Amino acid sequence: MLPSVASLRVRGRRGQGAGSASVLTADGFLLTSAHVVEGADQAEATFTDGADVTADVIGRDPLSDLAVLRARGAVPPPVTLGDAGRLKVGQLVVALGNPLGLAGSVTAGIVSALGRSLPTKAGRVVDEVIQTDAALNPGNSGGVLADSRGRMVGVNTAVAGVGLGLAVPINETTRGLIATLMRHGRVRRAWLGIAGGQAPLPPALAAKVGRRSGLRVAQVVEGSPAERAGLRRGDVVLSVDGQRIDTSTAIQRLMVEHAIGRRLEVTVWRNGALVDVVAVPRELTDA
């Protein structure tokens, strides 16, 4: 796998940077972290055999911290993708990348936690992040986290502290995001326009719905689909489109492309009663 992991040199509007990338396809698609190529249109990829190739940034998704590039020349064979959903705490993993400019570096460790959430600059979180004690250093971002069978199960994305690293998982969801970036250069998401936190339900309601918590709305954005649907601050959201909701992340998972423009039924607890409203999410934009 190591020959298929490149060192990236990035030059963009924000100055120079470095990171790592892996070969996704034989025809030159590379995978890295979105923050590695932020503000850049191109990068120079160097492989362990000394080969250099210019790669164009095809698409990036800051909300998942994933990006794809397309090399202009020949690349080594692609890495083998695994499934992070099969990982277990305590399992051996290996981080491959370009820390501190040392191309071809390998560090080993174990999975120390699963299901972490990683906040992004875009104000959302990446779900199901892998936490590992494999040493990660500046330049590792965008590199490969591999299991003991040499399958890529994550994209190293951050150094969270001494002896602690995080990786975006390779799973069904992120495979879909990567494929979308390869085809369209961006990922479309829906937007509802509420913010809040988990809140306990009254005992009688908890017994009725079979769970103990919901999402208490702390803010409804002015002019948002949520406001137009009649959602209010203080509502406790129980479900959206039939899916149980008790955290902001649970709503975020539903705000995918096919939700844009769809009528979604939202069930809330308001003033001692269950209330149903219909919201129509809009496409999330940088604005």
Side-chain angles (χ1 to χ4, degrees):
M1 177 176 283
L2 191 56
S4 301
V5 181
S7 161
L8 283 186
R9 299 185 307 280
V10 181
R11 185 173 300 163
R13 296 187 299 272
R14 298 175 179 270
Q16 298 185 14
S20 303
S22 58
V23 179
L24 267 179
T25 64
D27 58 349
F29 278 103
L30 308 177
L31 176 65
T32 188
S33 298
H35 72 268
V36 169
V37 293
E38 183 179 2
D41 297 320
Q42 291 180 353
E44 295 297 319
T46 302
F47 294 93
T48 54
D49 63 359
D52 283 301
V53 63
T54 298
D56 298 304
V57 178
I58 300 300
R60 58 190 145 227
D61 179 39
L63 300 183
S64 64
D65 198 23
L66 294 172
V68 295
L69 303 89
R70 185 76 178 271
R72 297 185 182 181
V75 296
V79 299
T80 300
L81 298 183
D83 181 6
R86 297 175 179 268
L87 289 176
K88 305 292 184 185
V89 172
Q91 184 173 335
L92 176 69
V93 287
V94 180
L96 303 91
N98 172 43
L100 305 175
L102 302 174
S105 293
V106 178
T107 55
I110 63 168
V111 175
S112 52
L114 295 166
R116 296 290 195 231
S117 293
L118 173 67
T120 69
K121 291 182 179 179
R124 285 194 169 192
V125 297
V126 179
D127 287 321
E128 305 302 322
V129 168
I130 304 163
Q131 179 180 306
T132 172
D133 66 355
L136 298 181
N137 298 290
N140 258 122
S141 282
V144 170
L145 186 71
D147 63 16
S148 58
R149 296 179 63 181
R151 298 169 301 192
M152 182 176 180
V153 292
V155 180
N156 299 323
T157 190
V159 179
V162 177
L164 181 64
L166 301 175
V168 175
I170 297 296
N171 54 28
E172 182 179 357
T173 299
T174 50
R175 282 175 186 252
L177 294 175
I178 293 165
T180 299
L181 287 172
M182 292 168 66
R183 288 194 305 268
H184 304 297
R186 69 187 185 106
V187 175
R188 298 179 69 214
R189 286 183 171 83
W191 177 63
L192 194 57
I194 61 173
Q198 192 174 57
L201 301 180
L205 178 61
K208 181 177 181 179
V209 299
R211 55 193 171 95
R212 298 180 178 179
S213 61
L215 174 75
R216 185 179 301 280
V217 177
Q219 179 187 11
V220 178
V221 178
E222 184 177 354
S224 68
E227 184 186 54
R228 293 185 179 184
L231 289 170
R232 307 173 186 172
R233 182 178 177 182
D235 285 347
V236 178
V237 180
L238 301 178
S239 68
V240 174
D241 198 29
Q243 301 296 309
R244 167 179 168 169
I245 298 297
D246 53 13
T247 65
S248 295
T249 300
I251 289 184
Q252 180 178 309
R253 287 195 191 102
L254 298 178
M255 294 297 104
V256 292
E257 183 173 0
H258 75 264
I260 299 171
R262 279 186 58 218
R263 292 169 57 86
L264 304 182
E265 184 176 278
V266 181
T267 300
V268 303
W269 178 253
R270 177 188 297 166
N271 298 328
L274 290 172
V275 177
D276 291 327
V277 301
V278 174
V280 182
R282 297 201 304 265
E283 181 175 358
L284 177 68
T285 64
D286 291 338

